[in-house]
Amino acid sequence: MTTTTSTTATTEAALPSPDELGVVLTDAPIVPTAPGVPLASLVRLALRRNPRRAHLLVSTVLAKHVPTVPAVALLAGEALGARVADVLDGGARLDAGAAARLRAVLDRQQATDTATDAGDGSDALHRAATTLRTDLAAVRPTLPDVLVLGFAETATALGATVAEALGAGYLHSTRHDPPGATPAAGFDEAHSHATAHRLLPAEDDWLPADGTVVLVDDELSTGATARATIRALHAVAPQRQWVVAALVDLRSDADVAATEALATELGAPVAVVALGRGRVSLPDGLTDTAAELVASAAAPLTTTTPDSTTSPDGTTSPDGTTALDSGPTADGRPAPGPARASRPDAVTVVAAPPTVVDRTGTPAARVRTPRTDVEGIAADLARVLTDTSGRVPDRVLVLGTEEHMATPLAVADALRRRTTADVRSSTSTRSPVAVFDAPTWPIRSGIRHRSHDVTVDGPGERYAYNVHGFDAVVVVPEPGTERATLEGPGGLLDVLATVMPRVLLVDSALESASAAASSPRPLTGPSFGSYEPDEVTWLLQDLADAALEADTADRERAIQLEGANYAESLPVEYVPSESYEELYREALARSADRIAEAVGIVTDLVLRDRPDAVLVSLARAGTPVGILMRRWAEQQRGIRLQHYTASIVRGVGIDETALRWLAAHHDATQVVFVDGWTGKGAITRELTDALDRFAASDGVRFGDGLAVLADPAGCTPLHGTRDDYLVPSACLNSTVSGLVSRTVFNRAWTPAGTLHGAKQYRELGPRDHSRSFVATIADRFSAVRPRVDAAVAADGGPASRAVDWRGMRTVEAIGAEYGITDLHLVKPGVGETTRVLLRRVPWQVLVRDPEDVDIAHVVALARERGVPVVTRPELSYSCVGLIHPLGSRVSDTGTADGTTGSVA
């Protein structure tokens, strides 16, 4: 039998609000050194069906009981992590300005949740939350010696996000009871509906000695659980410092004093931080009042049972369940359509790679890495959810289960970035919350289902709230969950199928935290790179711990004389001087319109043939160009494109693991490769050869078209211009490319079957221009659009864009003139010459006009390094960089001093 909530005007009119019950939230006075946000922006009052405590503060930012825009939950964790970091190092990340922006995001969330049509508001909320999170992440510390401990079941994702923000190790408590598990520690949460917590770390040295441990919970009511945990763990391994972090701190003066007394007792400080502080005042007799209200006015929960085939309205379905009507749902939104009875074929299963869970511990070195292939799962879900006409459901819920919150939240955010759907995230729970069908109460509807996990307290009822009114639900259970435990009468999938038009199940095996990742796990900001996650997905692995930088001269000798590939090591990252950065700023101001026009032209040429193109930029020079093309398509043409960035290495080819990932999740015929500019066309040929090899080995054919802003080499028809001019991003290295190094192909660090790698230079954050460069160009899109429209309309087709390889002919002539037999040492064009000066051992720089403002930075760099600048007015390029030839790579035809023109 199916039962569900009912809505009547009489019940709603008679239902008192939380305020009318006399429950009052009072904010604490503002502390200038730790500004926060109002409690009402973070929590709402609900009533429990639990005799231990009548009330429950439901978090509006936790993605637990209430479906939440994923970016908001991720922002809350980032902000709390920033507050912890400020305590640990005396910083001011979450200052008054950041706190004000956080409050504005939460105010926007309240407005969105009460809107009749939340679609556009949800999109704006996602962008605002993501931007603030990225800004806060720009000043993240890296604290590998700190341990973050999250409390199950509500704070497991919150703790993971705090650990990521700190770059610290992570472990959360659990009520799971896996076979053979021996708890390292345990404690009770006295007020909870399920009191027992256990710690099941996989490693013996999980608890640092004389270090810092951060406890994370969603709410501090009294702080008793945190104090008991600290006392128990301090007895195992005394710590130098303890920090307790929560979204809201509601402790009384006596509770605060108890925490201070504990610090004195242990001889170690215990700091408490929160995003909101204050008190909750409860009237006398609330327990009795709440019990009476729940008994008289709480709406029933939807469930399915095996003992009856009769619905509440007397109708019967042939399989013992009842389809709901299509009237208004309990959360006030129109129902998406008739729901259906649960059937074995009613659930679409999406297979996912193995997933790691945090209950056995995640080391600091991996805490900023996804626990599974989040981006691949989201790409597959987006494909399954999209119908034949290209439409996706309006509202999608990604539902985790109990403690399994972090990965479902990450999947929800990735799905939100890939579709136009209003995606929300929440999880099932043990909490028995009363459902009141009125806008003044946060829990408007709910379902009840049987448990499926093996836990220390045995089987029982579980719940999920406010799930009604979505067009589809994506269930992401604990990895390793048997589907059969979710099915059948009273099972989670069975109940969801009665209230949802579509149910999808992500099926993933459990992977050991200590094992090497069994599949690629693409990266996004702000965990990797300084771009917002919407802008680009990095098909790379993070080599943060690898010692790869080498002296420039040593690298050059290894490359030229020892046969090493240039991608086996990294040059020491150039830190530009203030005067050099001023040249960059001048170049950007001067050329913003020209760059914007080229972006528009090349993007529209791509869209003309592939309106559903998948952009794959060549890291790292191509990365900002791919971002700009994606923005042009969305802002000027209303088309949302997916953008990835992948590694290509001369002599190796494009990363075949990345190609396999792309082929698994996208139509290879829609992939368009993107770079910033062409030099002599070597990378264009490398790309073509690599894709031919891949087609032969894997049977998948990618098109070898390369879209670039500038094609002075004449080697691709997809270009914005063929002029050799300065693309300002060529002036800088990582500080205009997401703070990411050039890519690495080194089998010691990138074994076969894994993605190529790169490093992030977080220490260069104060000098980062990556996002401002993109914003400056994108701000000119509307102004240049008429010129772009005219240029594309006047385009003469393939004949006008024919490939002629003019760049290679020029290089061959220069090589012959200078006696250079290895043409890889000749780098034509502004961008390539800049790279020679920043990464290699330069020999000479040939310039057409040393007074040309487009090469002012080249001349400045050359003089800074003592490199001769030779004027060659007849050059077809603005400039050409010559790498210093070592050994026998120069013939006898060059002049004694290596110059054949006038030295500027």
Side-chain angles (χ1 to χ4, degrees), residues 699-769:
V700 178
R701 168 61 69 179
F702 287 86
D704 64 351
L706 182 65
V708 298
L709 294 186
D711 178 37
C715 60
T716 175
L718 289 175
H719 55 264
T721 180
R722 278 195 162 138
D723 295 337
D724 179 29
Y725 67 93
L726 173 64
V727 178
S729 57
C731 290
L732 303 174
N733 278 338
S734 66
T735 53
V736 77
S737 304
L739 293 181
V740 172
S741 73
R742 67 175 307 158
T743 60
V744 174
F745 175 77
N746 183 323
R747 283 308 186 202
W749 295 99
T750 58
T754 67
L755 295 166
H756 292 191
K759 301 179 76 169
Q760 180 177 359
Y761 297 116
R762 292 184 180 275
E763 66 275 14
L764 298 181
R767 292 177 171 269
D768 189 19
H769 300 280

Side-chain angles (χ1 to χ4, degrees), residues 244-301:
V244 181
L247 294 174
V248 294
D249 179 2
L250 303 171
R251 293 174 301 153
S252 67
D253 291 340
D255 296 325
V256 172
T259 302
E260 294 171 348
L262 175 64
T264 302
E265 171 192 330
L266 302 180
V270 180
V272 178
V273 300
L275 298 183
R277 291 180 181 271
R279 301 288 165 81
V280 55
S281 300
L282 306 176
D284 294 336
L286 177 63
T287 301
D288 294 337
T289 302
E292 293 172 2
L293 185 61
V294 170
S296 63
L301 302 169

Side-chain angles (χ1 to χ4, degrees), residues 863-884:
R863 289 174 176 163
E864 184 179 301
R865 284 161 166 66
V867 179
V869 177
V870 181
T871 301
R872 297 291 301 270
E874 76 284 0
L875 282 179
S876 58
Y877 287 90
S878 298
C879 55
V880 177
L882 304 181
I883 297 171
H884 199 293

Side-chain angles (χ1 to χ4, degrees), residues 45-223:
L45 179 76
L47 297 182
R48 298 174 183 263
R49 290 184 283 116
N50 181 352
R52 295 177 183 270
R53 190 163 58 164
H55 75 285
L56 170 70
L57 292 180
V58 173
S59 172
T60 57
V61 300
L62 195 60
K64 182 62 182 178
H65 300 95
V66 177
T68 305
V69 172
V72 173
L74 293 169
L75 169 61
E78 188 74 42
L80 187 58
R83 177 129 293 167
V84 173
D86 289 344
V87 166
L88 295 179
D89 64 12
R93 298 166 181 83
L94 196 63
D95 58 12
R101 291 176 63 191
L102 175 60
R103 179 173 182 177
V105 169
L106 300 180
D107 288 346
R108 185 182 293 240
Q109 175 180 241
Q110 291 181 337
T112 300
D113 287 344
T114 57
T116 303
D117 181 4
D120 292 341
S122 173
D123 193 60
L125 176 59
H126 166 85
R127 290 196 304 270
T130 299
T131 297
L132 178 52
R133 181 189 176 212
T134 305
D135 290 345
L136 290 172
V139 288
R140 282 176 171 176
T142 299
L143 305 172
D145 296 329
V146 171
L147 172 68
V148 175
L149 177 62
F151 284 97
E153 67 177 20
T154 54
T156 57
L158 181 66
T161 311
V162 169
E164 180 182 324
L166 298 176
Y170 181 55
L171 174 72
H172 70 70
S173 66
T174 182
R175 297 184 179 102
H176 279 250
D177 190 21
T182 301
F187 52 89
D188 285 341
E189 186 177 9
H191 66 265
S192 178
H193 44 274
T195 61
H197 288 252
R198 304 197 304 169
L199 298 178
L200 303 177
E203 303 297 330
D204 293 336
D205 59 349
W206 64 278
L207 188 60
D210 192 30
T212 298
V213 176
V214 180
L215 307 184
V216 178
D217 208 349
D218 60 314
E219 171 194 337
L220 286 181
S221 299
T222 66

Side-chain angles (χ1 to χ4, degrees), residues 35-49:
V37 295
L39 293 174
S41 298
L42 297 166
V43 293
R44 295 180 65 190
L45 179 76
L47 297 182
R48 298 174 183 263
R49 290 184 283 116

